[in-house]
């Protein structure tokens, strides 16, 4: 009996494959890595370029990284969206707060940078959120490809 | 760099290319989806902007 049929329980439903957690972690940390590992090289390069461009534009026009704030539930959503950028988000956060500042500032003492009075502030935020959300979609796409549900 | 129209077009470009590569496999289909999404986002934003101008 194979591992998959054992998991399926013999109830008629095919066993559902799972994507390797390390693959998904890599896909989240560095945009495009998951596709690269799965052999989708061209797509990987395009996705990497798009997410990095969105993130760099967001930072360049003084956007603020989402960080949790007490009494502001939407700040958690912004954090989740920005966290989707993976290493880009973590590196930028460490750049602004310092490595020890990041560790000591979790969850409510983190500075997201940006300049609220800058002309591009709102657009910058949008680029940062969009980049993160696109990367989260890429992680789901990698999961689908790894499970054989997409090519 | 902080021209709002240019930023909106740049954003639409990135998102359109992203979804074209995510959802379509052939070059022809990608180009079609990209063009549709890009035009819809840019023209839609401008139209919506003008409609909002009428609202006090």
């Amino acid at each position: 009996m194979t591992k998959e049929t054992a998991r399926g329980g013999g109830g008629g439903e095919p066993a559902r494959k799972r994507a390797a957690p390390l693959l998904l972690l890599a896909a989240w940390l560095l945009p495009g890595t998951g596709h690269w590992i799965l052999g989708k090289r061209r797509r990987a390069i395009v996705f990497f370029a798009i997410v990095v461009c969105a993130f760099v534009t967001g930072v360049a026009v003084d956007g603020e990284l989402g960080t949790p704030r007490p009494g502001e539930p939407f700040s958690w959503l912004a954090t989740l969206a920005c966290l989707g950028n993976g290493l880009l988000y973590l590196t930028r956060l460490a750049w602004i707060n310092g490595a020890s500042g990041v560790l000591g500032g979790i969850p409510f003492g983190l500075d997201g940078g940006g300049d609220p009075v800058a002309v591009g502030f709102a657009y910058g935020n949008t680029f940062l959120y969009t980049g993160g959300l696109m990367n989260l979609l890429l992680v789901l796409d990698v999961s689908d490809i790894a499970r054989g549900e997409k090519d | 760099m902080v021209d709002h129209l240019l930023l909106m077009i740049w954003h639409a470009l990135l998102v359109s290319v992203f979804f074209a590569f995510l959802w379509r496999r052939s070059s022809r289909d990608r180009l079609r989806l990209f063009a549709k999404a890009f035009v819809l986002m840019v023209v839609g934003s401008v139209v919506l902007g003008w409609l909002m101008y009428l609202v006090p």
Side-chain angles (χ1 to χ4, degrees):
Chain A
M1 182 186 289
T2 64
K3 202 174 178 181
E4 281 184 14
T5 48
R7 274 189 193 161
E13 275 188 36
R16 299 189 71 179
K17 282 198 262 174
R18 291 178 62 189
L22 274 180
L23 177 69
L24 301 182
L25 182 71
W28 167 66
L29 279 175
L30 199 62
T33 309
H35 288 85
W36 183 275
I37 292 170
L38 292 172
K40 316 290 180 192
R41 302 279 159 95
R42 193 167 152 221
R43 263 184 269 171
I45 293 167
V46 171
F47 290 143
F48 175 81
I50 289 172
V51 175
V52 169
C53 280
F55 188 86
V56 169
T57 306
V59 171
V61 296
D62 292 313
E64 180 185 17
L65 289 177
T67 52
R69 292 194 203 104
E72 292 182 36
F74 284 114
S75 69
W76 287 94
L77 291 178
T79 306
L80 182 70
C82 282
L83 197 57
N85 286 292
L87 267 184
L88 293 167
Y89 175 81
L90 299 174
T91 307
R92 175 71 180 151
L93 215 55
W95 182 284
I96 297 167
N97 297 277
S100 58
V102 172
L103 294 173
I106 293 173
F108 295 124
L110 295 169
D111 179 11
D115 181 5
V117 295
V119 180
F121 180 71
Y123 259 104
N125 292 349
T126 306
F127 273 97
L128 292 172
Y129 302 157
T130 309
L133 292 173
M134 286 194 291
N135 197 34
L136 291 178
L137 280 178
L138 290 182
V139 174
L140 293 178
D141 195 49
V142 165
S143 172
D144 283 348
I145 295 171
R147 287 185 292 124
E149 291 185 7
K150 268 180 93 175
D151 66 333
Chain B
M1 186 63 189
V2 287
D3 183 299
H4 283 198
L5 182 67
L6 280 182
L7 281 173
M8 187 265 285
I9 291 171
W10 177 231
H11 188 264
L13 187 85
L14 289 176
V15 174
S16 306
V17 174
F18 175 81
F19 282 109
F21 272 82
L22 187 70
W23 284 342
R24 297 290 184 268
R25 289 294 167 262
S26 74
S27 300
R28 186 191 158 92
D29 287 346
R30 279 176 180 162
L31 196 65
R32 286 180 64 183
L33 179 62
F34 163 75
K36 253 192 233 176
F38 181 71
V39 170
L40 201 68
M41 277 190 270
V42 172
V43 175
S45 299
V46 172
V47 168
L48 203 63
W50 277 102
L51 287 176
M52 286 169 69
Y53 183 73
L54 299 174
V55 180

